[in-house]
Amino acid sequence: IVSHPSLAILSDAMRNLLAALNELPNVQVAVISGRALADVQKHVALPSIWFAGSGGAELWLNGNRWEYPHADAFRCELDRLQ
């Protein structure tokens, strides 16, 4: 746990562990994050795993991107509240 999200990093050891787990038969690794999908993908840098960004509002599964239909409206509301 860090004081600011920008300080959170994935160690090389953890990245290697996630990659190795993803290679096991009948295993699919997924990373779920509050970060935007593109941001979490950039930080993890393992394109073959699944991702849920923005707390699950954005998904990357088997190379296909899906976004909750009302995600843009929620983003605008969050920006307004901040």
Side-chain angles (χ1 to χ4, degrees):
I1 304 294
V2 294
S3 61
H4 191 274
S6 65
L7 301 174
I9 61 165
L10 183 68
S11 69
D12 289 338
M14 185 58 67
R15 184 176 290 104
N16 292 338
L17 179 61
L18 292 173
L21 286 170
N22 201 54
E23 294 297 320
L24 294 173
N26 302 312
V27 173
Q28 178 61 56
V29 173
V31 172
I32 302 168
S33 176
R35 294 176 184 262
L37 180 61
D39 193 31
V40 71
Q41 286 177 303
K42 179 183 80 175
H43 280 82
V44 175
L46 291 171
S48 63
I49 68 172
W50 293 358
F51 293 93
S54 300
E58 303 172 282
L59 303 177
W60 182 263
L61 310 171
N62 295 326
N64 296 302
R65 186 180 186 283
W66 178 87
E67 184 173 305
Y68 179 69
H70 305 289
D72 285 337
F74 287 129
R75 279 190 207 99
C76 289
E77 185 63 16
L78 285 173
D79 288 344
R80 187 185 71 75
L81 293 171
Q82 292 177 349

